[in-house]
Amino acid sequence: MKSWPYFPNQILSSPDTGRHEMDERFMLRLVLLREELGFPLIVTSAYRSPQHNAKVGGRSRSAHLAGRAVDIAISGDKAHRLVRMALMLGFTGIGIRQRGDFRSRYVHVDDLDKAPGIPRPTIWSY
Ligand SMILES: [Zn+2]
C-alpha cells in the first residue's frame, strides 16, 4: 500500500481487510483538495473490498471498489467550501447528504470516468 499525506492507511483501508487499493490519480486530487481547503477532512469511508461494499449496501459499481471515492463527514460552511473546491478540482461525482443531525451529514467525492452505466459528471443527494 502506498502512503499518502493527511490520510493514514488505516483511514483509507477497507475495515474487513485493513488494506486499501486507492487509485493514485484520485489520491493526488484528494491531497490537493485537502491542501486547497486548509482544514482537516474526516474520511468515514474510502477503499471498500467487495465484501465490505456489500455489507454497507454500496452499489455494485461503487467508486469505492475502485479506490476512487471517499466519504467525508462535513456540514455547514465547510461542506459548501468542500463542494465548491471539489468541482473546481475536477471531481466528477459528488453525492451530498446534508439533512438531519450534523453528525450524519457527509459529502461523497469521486473521479470516475464517464462510461456505459456511469454518468459523469454528475451530482446526487442521499
Ligand atoms: Zn461514497
Side-chain angles (χ1 to χ4, degrees):
M1 295 187 291
K2 183 171 168 59
S3 294
W4 296 93
Y6 306 111
F7 305 100
N9 279 329
Q10 183 184 348
I11 295 296
L12 298 175
S13 293
S14 192
D16 58 334
T17 63
R19 308 282 302 170
H20 73 74
E21 297 174 32
M22 294 302 290
D23 179 83
E24 290 213 14
R25 280 189 307 169
F26 174 83
M27 286 306 301
L28 288 170
R29 209 186 294 270
L30 183 65
V31 167
L32 185 57
L33 176 66
R34 166 65 180 81
E35 292 185 337
E36 289 292 326
L37 289 172
F39 56 77
L41 298 178
I42 302 167
V43 171
T44 59
S45 184
Y47 178 75
R48 296 177 190 161
S49 70
Q51 294 78 10
H52 183 67
N53 189 59
K55 184 181 171 186
V56 299
R59 291 173 302 124
S60 61
R61 302 183 73 174
S62 170
H64 290 276
L65 291 165
R68 294 176 69 172
V70 292
D71 298 339
I72 299 166
I74 198 164
S75 62
D77 66 314
K78 285 185 174 175
H80 185 275
R81 291 165 65 188
L82 172 72
V83 169
R84 183 175 54 187
M85 189 59 69
L87 290 168
M88 288 178 60
L89 293 179
F91 286 94
T92 57
I94 297 178
I96 298 176
R97 181 186 170 93
Q98 293 293 312
R99 60 186 166 85
D101 188 273
F102 77 93
R103 284 166 294 195
S104 67
R105 296 184 180 210
Y106 69 95
V107 173
H108 160 114
V109 296
D110 72 53
D111 73 345
L112 289 185
D113 301 305
K114 184 180 175 72
I118 303 183
R120 287 295 185 278
T122 190
I123 189 166
W124 66 88
S125 59
Y126 297 101

